[in-house]
Amino acid sequence: MEGQAGGEVRDEDWYGEDLGAAQFRGVVFTDVDLTETTSRGAVFDDCEFHGCRFNASTHTGTAFTGCDFRRSVLFDATLDGCKLSASVFADCTLRPMTVTDGVWRGVSLRGARLEGLDLTGVDLRDADLSMATLSGTVLRNARLDDAVIREADLARADLRGASLTGVDLTSATLRETQLDLPGAVLLAELHGAAVDPS
C-alpha cells in the first residue's frame, strides 16, 4: 500500500491489508477499520486516529510517532519493536495486547487501563502514566526514568529490574508490587528512610 502526506482517510475498510513499509505523515484517520492489518517498518508520523479499529493487527518495527489515538481499539493487537514516542492515547482499548520491546518514550497513557499487560523491556522514559491502571502489569527491565505515575495503580505489578530514576512512587498504589533491591531502596528513601548502603 502506498503512503500519504496530509489529508483525511474516513470510513474506509482496510481489513486484512498489508501496509508494508508505507509512510503516512499528518494524516487524519477517522472510523477506519484496520482489523488484522499488518505492517513492517511503516511510519505514521503526526497522524490522528479517531474511532479506528486495530483489532488483531500486527505491526513490526513500525513507528507511530507524535500520533493522537482517540476512542480507538487495539484489542489483541501485536506491537513488536514499535516506536510510539510522544503519542497520546485517550479513551482507547489497549488490552489484551502483545508488546515486545519498543520505544514508547514520552507517550501519554494518562488514565489508561493497562492491567495484566506484559511490557517487559519497553522504553517508557518520560511517559505519562498518571492515574493509569497497571495492576498485575509486568514491567520487568522497563525503562521508567522520569515517568509520571501519580496516582497510578501498581498493585501486584512486577517492577523488578526496571529503572526508576526520577520516578515519584509516593502517590502510587503499591500493594503487593514486586520490586528488586534498588527499587525497594528508592521506595524507602521516598518515604524518609535513611538507607545504609553497607
Side-chain angles (χ1 to χ4, degrees):
M1 176 177 287
E2 294 185 1
Q4 180 176 328
E8 182 177 18
V9 177
R10 177 183 288 271
D11 296 319
E12 290 201 12
D13 183 359
W14 289 9
Y15 187 102
E17 290 279 355
D18 181 3
L19 306 179
Q23 298 194 15
F24 298 88
R25 301 186 186 279
V27 178
V28 178
F29 295 87
T30 304
D31 296 323
V32 177
D33 187 358
L34 293 147
T35 300
E36 294 191 15
T37 56
T38 57
S39 70
R40 182 176 292 273
V43 174
F44 295 87
D45 183 47
D46 198 27
C47 292
E48 299 179 25
F49 298 92
H50 298 164
C52 294
R53 296 178 297 284
F54 291 85
N55 301 336
S57 60
T58 300
H59 306 279
T60 305
T62 291
F64 296 91
T65 51
C67 291
D68 185 3
F69 294 82
R70 306 264 170 187
R71 303 180 309 282
S72 292
V73 180
L74 284 81
F75 182 89
D76 205 28
T78 296
L79 301 175
D80 182 2
C82 292
K83 184 176 182 179
L84 278 74
S85 298
S87 287
V88 176
F89 291 84
D91 298 320
C92 293
T93 299
L94 301 171
R95 49 184 296 275
M97 183 168 59
T98 300
V99 179
T100 305
D101 297 321
V103 178
W104 295 29
R105 189 166 187 173
V107 70
S108 176
L109 291 158
R110 184 181 179 89
R113 294 193 58 185
L114 305 167
E115 63 264 37
L117 291 183
D118 187 343
L119 300 176
T120 297
V122 175
D123 185 349
L124 285 156
R125 286 176 292 170
D126 304 305
D128 184 358
L129 296 165
S130 55
M131 295 179 283
T133 304
L134 294 152
S135 54
T137 301
V138 179
L139 290 157
R140 294 195 69 163
N141 301 317
R143 302 184 68 182
L144 288 161
D145 306 279
D146 297 314
V148 178
I149 60 170
R150 187 179 65 256
E151 298 179 36
D153 183 358
L154 286 160
R156 301 180 306 284
D158 188 348
L159 290 168
R160 289 174 293 178
S163 56
L164 297 164
T165 302
V167 176
D168 184 357
L169 296 168
T170 54
S171 67
T173 299
L174 297 170
R175 187 179 63 257
E176 298 180 34
T177 303
Q178 298 182 66
L179 294 165
D180 57 11
L181 181 58
V185 169
L186 173 64
L187 183 60
E189 291 175 340
L190 287 171
H191 282 84
V195 178
D196 183 353
S198 63

